[in-house]
Amino acid sequence: MLPTHEYANDLILFALIVDCGSFSKAAESAGITSSVISKRIGKLEKSLGARLLYRTTRSLTPTESGAMLYHHAKTLSAQMQEALYAVSEKSEALTGTIRMSVPTISGELLLSESVAEFCAQHPELKVEMRLENRFVDLVNEGIDLAIRTGTMPDSSLIARHILDSRWVIVCSPAYLEQHPQPQTTADLLAHNCLTYTYQESGTANWLVKQPGHDDIQELQVNGNLSANNARAIRKAVIAGHGIAMVPRCMVYEDLQDEKLVEILNGHCGKVLGVYAVYPYTRNLPLKTRLLIEHIIGSYKRISHYF
């Protein structure tokens, strides 16, 4: 059996390999070579008398024993990080610059104020925040942190789930005075549907479902206005010019003030995850980690908007 301190190091390395999904990415993150990682994991498997990973040229997955060990290894890694952060937070001043990219809706709704509050708490720190809807290339564009809404296809990034953003179908009371209220999603085809162009499913393809069911379908709606800014669509809907599917967080106060009404409640099938995303790094800078925690807290405080 290996000495305890060697087990601790190799368990943390093993957890990193599983998280990265490959020896090469784990090696890059840990700052060592792939051959060193392979030897250390081989030594760990031999000492434990159990195979921990299934390896092919295209994939790497833990065995049953590996999955069990991974759970404990992650706990060990988290406890070690907490211990280090507990000391460093008391001794390390937050300085330098954090470059971040955030979606326009979240940026305007809460992140501008939240990040400004964080900067006020740490006056020697500067945050450069870009409000944009495109998925930026974090590594090539030098972005330290991004808040993203949608799916996370890029496995080269670490994505921490914050919450889910539910979308709703809305119109104004004035619109309903002039048009019959839709009773089914099919009824939407007879209405002027104002569309937001930044949608993964396509501009005019609305994701709909039956209440109480999980099957999502695409409905191709029709309308005379589309825009790449959700707040522009919101204003047009409030003015009574049509129906829109938009993030609930953006129109939450409008719904409370009865400027808008939600129609076809339970029929909107669009729910997107909100994530804090950053590149793989051997040690996430304290300033970035603390900013992420601050942002998560800000989202949680208004989670009822979502």
Side-chain angles (χ1 to χ4, degrees):
M1 299 289 284
L2 294 172
T4 302
H5 70 279
E6 289 192 31
Y7 271 123
N9 291 335
D10 286 344
L11 285 176
I12 292 172
L13 182 61
F14 174 70
L16 177 64
I17 293 169
V18 176
D19 286 338
C20 292
S22 75
F23 277 24
S24 58
K25 289 180 181 178
E28 182 180 352
S29 179
I32 57 180
T33 65
S34 296
S35 60
V36 169
I37 283 187
S38 182
K39 289 178 181 178
R40 286 178 61 177
I41 295 305
K43 185 178 179 182
L44 180 62
E45 289 179 325
K46 183 177 179 180
S47 178
L48 295 175
R51 186 174 185 180
L52 301 176
L53 297 167
Y54 292 121
R55 282 164 276 182
T56 69
T57 55
R58 294 186 177 181
S59 65
L60 181 151
T61 56
T63 63
E64 183 177 354
S65 297
M68 184 185 304
L69 187 65
Y70 171 75
H71 173 73
H72 294 289
K74 284 291 288 183
T75 301
L76 174 64
S77 179
Q79 289 175 341
M80 180 175 290
Q81 286 188 351
E82 288 175 7
L84 294 173
Y85 287 139
V87 175
S88 62
E89 285 174 7
K90 295 183 180 299
S91 60
E92 182 181 338
L94 301 189
T95 60
T97 301
I98 299 175
R99 300 186 67 219
M100 65 182 299
S101 171
V102 305
T104 55
I105 293 175
S106 291
E108 295 171 355
L109 177 66
L110 68 96
L111 289 177
S112 296
E113 183 177 353
S114 175
V115 173
E117 180 184 53
F118 184 78
C119 291
Q121 295 171 1
H122 306 282
E124 296 183 28
L125 180 70
K126 179 181 179 181
V127 176
E128 296 178 358
M129 184 169 64
R130 293 162 34 178
L131 274 66
E132 51 199 346
N133 289 316
R134 68 186 182 92
F135 276 17
V136 300
D137 187 324
L138 271 65
V139 176
N140 290 333
E141 297 185 40
I143 302 298
D144 302 299
L145 172 66
I147 304 300
R148 287 186 174 177
T149 301
T151 56
M152 297 293 110
D154 191 345
S155 60
S156 67
L157 302 174
I158 297 176
R160 182 172 175 184
H161 181 260
I162 300 175
L163 48 68
D164 288 325
S165 175
R166 185 169 70 86
W167 288 47
V168 289
I169 303 171
V170 296
C171 65
S172 70
Y175 182 85
L176 291 180
E177 291 176 2
Q178 302 295 324
H179 304 85
Q181 180 168 334
Q183 301 301 315
T184 68
T185 54
D187 291 343
L188 291 171
L189 300 178
H191 288 264
N192 189 34
C193 294
L194 312 183
T195 53
Y196 176 44
T197 57
Y198 276 107
Q199 298 191 91
E200 294 178 349
S201 57
T203 300
N205 292 339
W206 286 7
L207 300 180
V208 298
K209 67 183 184 68
Q210 292 298 315
H213 295 78
D214 296 328
D215 293 336
I216 307 296
Q217 297 179 332
E218 289 189 4
L219 179 71
Q220 189 165 3
V221 297
N222 304 293
N224 59 14
L225 175 66
S226 64
N228 65 353
N229 183 282
R231 290 196 175 275
I233 294 297
R234 166 186 168 270
K235 288 185 177 181
V237 175
I238 290 176
H241 296 300
I243 295 173
M245 180 185 289
V246 292
R248 184 174 184 267
C249 63
M250 189 185 71
V251 295
Y252 174 82
E253 293 180 355
D254 297 323
L255 293 171
Q256 300 301 307
D257 296 338
E258 299 183 350
K259 293 180 181 178
L260 293 174
V261 294
E262 182 178 358
I263 59 175
L264 295 172
N265 196 336
H267 287 79
C268 184
K270 188 163 188 176
V271 179
L272 299 177
V274 180
Y275 300 85
V277 183
Y278 51 93
Y280 277 115
T281 177
R282 185 175 184 180
N283 294 302
L284 183 65
L286 175 64
K287 58 189 176 186
T288 307
R289 187 184 70 85
L290 291 181
L291 177 57
I292 291 172
E293 295 300 333
H294 182 84
I295 288 173
I296 290 175
S298 297
Y299 271 102
K300 298 297 185 183
R301 281 192 291 274
I302 64 165
S303 59
H304 54 285
Y305 275 55
F306 294 85

